[in-house]
Amino acid sequence: MALFFLVPLCTALITGYFVKQSTDEIAYIAGVFGFICFILSLVLAPWQIQLLLLIVVLLGTNRLLSKQ
């Protein structure tokens, strides 16, 4: 399994950390960049990880909807 999808994911996590620490306007630009990197890492992730995330989202959604 290729792990090159971890590069944008780590970039997104580091950017998110800097956004939390800063209150400047550059933090908003960095936040957008981090969000794009996060989406890119999900697109580049292997199908096994994408399937696992899909199952987690579906189970989480069912549990949240059944509580109401």
Side-chain angles (χ1 to χ4, degrees):
M1 177 182 337
L3 298 176
F4 61 89
F5 74 96
L6 291 175
V7 173
L9 181 62
C10 291
T11 305
L13 292 174
I14 291 170
T15 304
Y17 173 75
F18 286 131
V19 167
K20 290 286 274 188
Q21 300 298 324
S22 178
T23 58
D24 298 337
E25 287 187 22
I26 194 73
Y28 296 119
I29 296 171
V32 170
F33 179 72
F35 183 73
I36 291 170
C37 285
F38 182 70
I39 297 298
L40 180 64
S41 69
L42 291 178
V43 169
L44 295 176
W47 68 269
Q48 296 95 341
I49 294 175
Q50 290 179 350
L51 182 65
L52 178 69
L53 287 173
L54 179 63
I55 290 170
V56 168
V57 167
L58 289 176
L59 291 176
T61 304
N62 286 339
R63 287 191 181 163
L64 287 174
L65 290 176
S66 65
K67 285 184 180 180
Q68 296 177 354

